[in-house]
Amino acid sequence: MDYQALAQLLFPNVTDTPEMLEEKFPLRNAPEGAVITRMAPSPTGFVHLGNLVQGLTSERMAHQSGGVLFLRVEDTDAKREVPGAVEVLIDTLKHYGIAFDEGATHDGDSGNYGPYRQRQRAGIYHVYAKKLVSEGQAYPCFCTEQELSAMREKQEANKETTGYYGQYAMWRDRSMEEIQAQLNAGNPWVLRFKSTGSVENQFKFDDLVKGKLTITENNVDHVLLKSDGIPTYHFAHAVDDHLMRTTHVVRGDEWLPTLPFHIQLFKALGFKLPKYVHIGPLMKMDGTSKRKLSKRKDPELALTFYKAEGFPVKAVYEYIMTILNSNFEDWRRANPDAHTDEFKFSPKKLNPAGSLFDYAKLVDVSKNVISKMGAEEVYELLTEWAKEFDPDFAEKLVADKDFAVSILAIGRGGKKPRKDLAVWKDAKPYMGFFYDDYLELPVFDDRFENEVIKSVLEKFLTVYDPADDSAAWFDKVKAITEEIGFTTDMKAYKADPTAFPGTVADVSTFIRQAVTGQTNSPDLYTVMQILGKERSVERIQAVIDTL
Ligand code: GLU
């Protein structure tokens, strides 16, 4: 067989050579040990937590080593592509702060190693396809769907491994005449790799997460180019990661079964094999057993979920670090205020079997993260969230920024900051009562007569002075308590509750309910300071009028 002639026959228009491409995309000028890596998601419209795990792992590995992170859009599967999905992808990754040095952007590319959308690289793949054919390492296959299913059925009946290999590789050794005849008839073809591997042979391989693996050689003649000339993932992976000068491939471990083929393909193409970082799936507890997070069952798999709930990006990031590197939490305890980038991330610390995702833990982490933010930062992030997910609330926040910031400042900054908010969605239930529109009428404990409550509120209004400090304010509440025959001695009350009609805590609650509509609120003295005299008095008076 004249392979050169076959290559010319199949790819008459390809005039570029691998050498030209090598020159066009030179080795990068990166420092010794720098990791050049990428995110290579498919634009399916669904960006999930697994993408983020992969993204943060590759981002850390690249930037921690002075390397490069780029974004490559793997859009070879046109059937699965949803319009606008590339933009959703780019925007979501941006929202999570994954800083790409180069790659696909909304309106094109940034960087010297593109195009960064695979469908725009068809010409590049064909250069290497032609090379493989000219060397007798790839060949066209004209099998029809029917022939392939007949093959599969026969293999199943014989209890053999299914696939296009060995004696089943029908087009492996056809003559030029047979190929020419098919081409003349206009029949579609795919390009297949001519595997020289044998399943009898095994070799050792080192994965940065999985450790030492024993790999069985691939003997299947996998498809390199589909009938539309677009490459399969495997071929695009080899060509792109070579030409983009990727040193480390960080990807999900669903690719492990085809790794033997990838290794073989890099070798056949004369490419240096990158290092591999195969990440296990995200798991969750379901009852007492672990299972993979599933798109169908678990809304928390979608990144849109975290945005809509209002988890700050910082919190999600912080949490993902805790599940990726087991020593992150210890580091955080020792360095409570350090930026996560100062942590020494290591792919070796990833759990080879996959990380366990625990929603309750994320909520905890998020509470901590928010509690450490300043009121201004909370205000900015909350407002940004509310603009998208609760426009009415956003309007109120924007209408009086100083008011909102002073509310959000309550209990912040000290050694033990309050932890009321885990997500921005919690903010309205927590602070909504400050806004008259969200204020609810109180429902008092029916152990107390309306008359008693009313007299407490009336007495309070006669003594209330916003100029009082917190101690003076509370002394007045205590004085009212005693006047109505309730006790300020909580110890005595606990020892014998029947001895007293009520306590200073009940009196405080009456006032709290009148001012906030609820039994729980941040420090009431502070709340009233922020509301101001006029609104505090107005609210108490309005409640008195209902009693
Ligand atoms: N497009 C592939 C995926 O989304 C990329 C895998 C890789 O990173 O190589 O699974």
Side-chain angles (χ1 to χ4, degrees):
M1 171 67 118
D2 182 347
Y3 294 125
Q4 286 288 349
L6 179 59
Q8 194 53 29
L9 181 65
L10 296 176
F11 301 101
N13 301 324
V14 173
T15 49
D16 280 3
T17 61
E19 293 70 34
M20 289 160 79
L21 293 170
E22 290 294 328
E23 211 170 299
K24 187 164 173 201
F25 304 110
L27 278 179
R28 290 165 186 270
N29 219 340
E32 176 79 22
V35 171
I36 315 294
T37 188
R38 78 296 191 279
M39 266 193 94
S42 301
T44 59
F46 182 67
V47 196
H48 53 84
L49 215 49
N51 292 122
L52 198 57
V53 164
Q54 191 276 340
L56 293 186
T57 303
S58 41
E59 190 279 334
R60 280 298 72 217
M61 288 181 67
H63 292 149
Q64 210 166 250
S65 64
V68 176
L69 176 71
F70 62 87
L71 174 65
R72 179 171 74 227
V73 175
E74 306 222 316
D75 56 359
T76 54
D77 192 351
K79 281 194 295 286
R80 277 176 65 206
E81 188 162 339
V82 179
V86 174
E87 287 68 28
V88 170
L89 187 63
I90 291 174
D91 291 344
T92 310
L93 298 176
K94 188 166 171 210
H95 174 77
Y96 282 96
I98 299 189
F100 292 106
D101 304 296
E102 59 186 64
T105 61
H106 265 240
D107 43 13
D109 280 336
S110 126
N112 297 326
Y113 288 81
Y116 295 91
R117 284 171 171 79
Q118 288 183 327
R119 280 222 295 278
Q120 296 175 10
R121 300 174 62 79
I124 294 179
Y125 304 119
H126 290 185
V127 171
Y128 289 96
K130 187 171 189 177
K131 170 187 151 82
L132 288 177
V133 174
S134 73
E135 295 167 346
Q137 298 204 82
Y139 62 92
C141 164
F142 294 88
C143 271
T144 60
E145 277 302 322
Q146 289 86 329
E147 285 173 312
L148 291 174
S149 18
M151 173 189 87
R152 213 170 304 123
E153 275 163 31
K154 188 170 164 198
Q155 289 169 333
E156 273 163 11
N158 293 346
K159 301 212 175 350
E160 293 173 306
T161 315
T162 54
Y164 197 97
Y165 62 91
Q167 50 159 324
Y168 292 104
M170 289 166 260
W171 278 87
R172 200 175 229 260
D173 296 309
R174 298 292 182 102
S175 67
M176 195 71 155
E177 290 67 38
E178 281 174 288
I179 293 171
Q180 184 75 65
Q182 292 282 335
L183 290 175
N184 291 347
N187 289 337
W189 54 279
V190 299
L191 189 73
R192 285 189 184 268
F193 180 68
K194 194 186 280 178
S195 175
T196 53
S198 159
V199 289
E200 304 294 319
N201 299 339
Q202 295 188 325
F203 60 97
K204 297 268 182 252
F205 184 82
D206 237 334
D207 182 272
L208 262 52
V209 176
K210 305 280 178 184
K212 284 226 177 320
L213 300 172
T214 301
I215 299 213
T216 303
E217 280 184 8
N218 165 59
N219 69 339
V220 176
D221 287 3
H222 285 293
V223 173
L224 300 175
L225 291 179
K226 295 178 270 188
S227 56
D228 56 2
I230 295 294
T232 53
Y233 166 78
H234 319 294
F235 192 40
H237 157 48
V239 171
D240 291 350
D241 282 317
H242 172 68
L243 287 180
M244 295 177 178
R245 307 300 178 180
T246 303
T247 61
H248 290 66
V249 169
V250 181
R251 64 183 182 186
D253 68 359
E254 68 273 17
W255 294 107
L256 269 183
T258 40
L259 177 64
F261 174 44
H262 301 156
I263 296 173
Q264 193 181 25
L265 195 50
F266 271 82
K267 203 162 176 199
L269 287 160
F271 297 162
K272 179 165 185 247
L273 194 68
K275 293 214 172 3
Y276 283 90
V277 180
H278 281 106
I279 304 182
L282 280 172
M283 315 288 280
K284 80 182 252 182
M285 291 308 289
D286 195 350
T288 51
S289 54
K290 272 191 207 174
R291 66 162 172 80
K292 278 189 205 177
L293 277 174
S294 114
K295 183 172 170 180
R296 201 167 42 82
K297 293 192 215 155
D298 307 308
E300 72 268 31
L301 187 57
L303 287 185
T304 41
F305 171 84
Y306 300 92
K307 195 167 178 222
E309 287 295 299
F311 279 100
V313 167
K314 248 195 217 173
V316 177
Y317 194 110
E318 180 94 3
Y319 176 64
I320 290 195
M321 283 298 190
T322 67
I323 60 174
L324 289 186
N325 270 204
S326 47
N327 54 330
F328 179 81
E329 276 182 280
D330 284 341
W331 174 85
R332 176 50 86 208
R333 268 188 286 275
N335 303 276
D337 301 316
H339 193 283
T340 21
D341 286 358
E342 288 170 37
F343 172 70
K344 180 105 186 61
F345 180 88
S346 166
K348 295 218 162 70
K349 293 241 158 55
L350 261 66
N351 184 340
S355 305
L356 189 63
F357 177 81
D358 175 357
Y359 188 76
K361 183 81 192 281
L362 166 65
V363 166
D364 243 33
V365 167
S366 194
K367 276 188 181 166
N368 261 322
V369 167
I370 296 180
S371 77
K372 284 193 209 155
M373 291 178 180
E376 275 282 336
E377 184 179 2
V378 173
Y379 173 82
E380 295 303 336
L381 293 173
L382 169 62
T383 307
E384 188 186 307
W385 172 85
K387 279 183 182 159
E388 191 170 346
F389 298 100
D390 191 346
D392 187 74
F393 189 29
E395 236 173 74
K396 294 186 164 56
L397 293 168
V398 171
D400 191 346
K401 176 174 169 180
D402 291 346
F403 181 58
V405 171
S406 55
I407 297 168
L408 293 167
I410 299 175
R412 246 167 233 290
K415 265 215 148 26
K416 279 211 154 163
R418 292 181 64 95
K419 295 185 182 174
D420 305 282
L421 309 177
V423 292
W424 304 132
K425 224 183 211 177
D426 294 340
K428 193 151 91 177
Y430 165 70
M431 62 188 273
F433 68 82
F434 275 99
Y435 298 90
D436 294 343
D437 284 355
Y438 300 146
L439 180 67
E440 285 170 15
L441 269 184
V443 181
F444 293 104
D445 186 335
D446 58 15
R447 282 188 299 135
F448 303 103
E449 300 281 341
N450 276 358
E451 278 315 307
V452 175
I453 298 167
K454 191 171 176 179
S455 86
V456 164
L457 298 179
E458 281 169 347
K459 283 180 198 300
F460 182 77
L461 283 188
T462 60
V463 295
Y464 170 51
D465 179 354
D468 286 342
D469 64 11
S470 154
W473 179 91
F474 195 52
D475 282 343
K476 287 179 175 173
V477 174
K478 284 197 271 195
I480 296 170
T481 304
E482 273 154 18
E483 258 176 70
I484 63 164
F486 283 24
T487 182
T488 54
D489 184 347
M490 294 308 285
K491 254 199 201 137
Y493 175 76
K494 275 199 188 108
D496 181 10
T498 57
F500 308 95
T503 70
V504 67
D506 298 317
V507 170
S508 302
T509 301
F510 301 156
I511 304 170
R512 184 186 306 277
Q513 284 187 278
V515 175
T516 70
Q518 43 195 55
T519 49
N520 275 313
S521 80
D523 176 57
L524 184 56
Y525 170 79
T526 313
V527 168
M528 293 177 72
Q529 291 293 113
I530 293 171
L531 276 174
K533 174 165 189 179
E534 202 178 318
R535 287 172 80 188
S536 300
V537 169
E538 221 172 69
R539 286 181 174 200
I540 295 171
Q541 189 57 55
V543 172
I544 291 173
D545 294 345
T546 67
L547 290 169

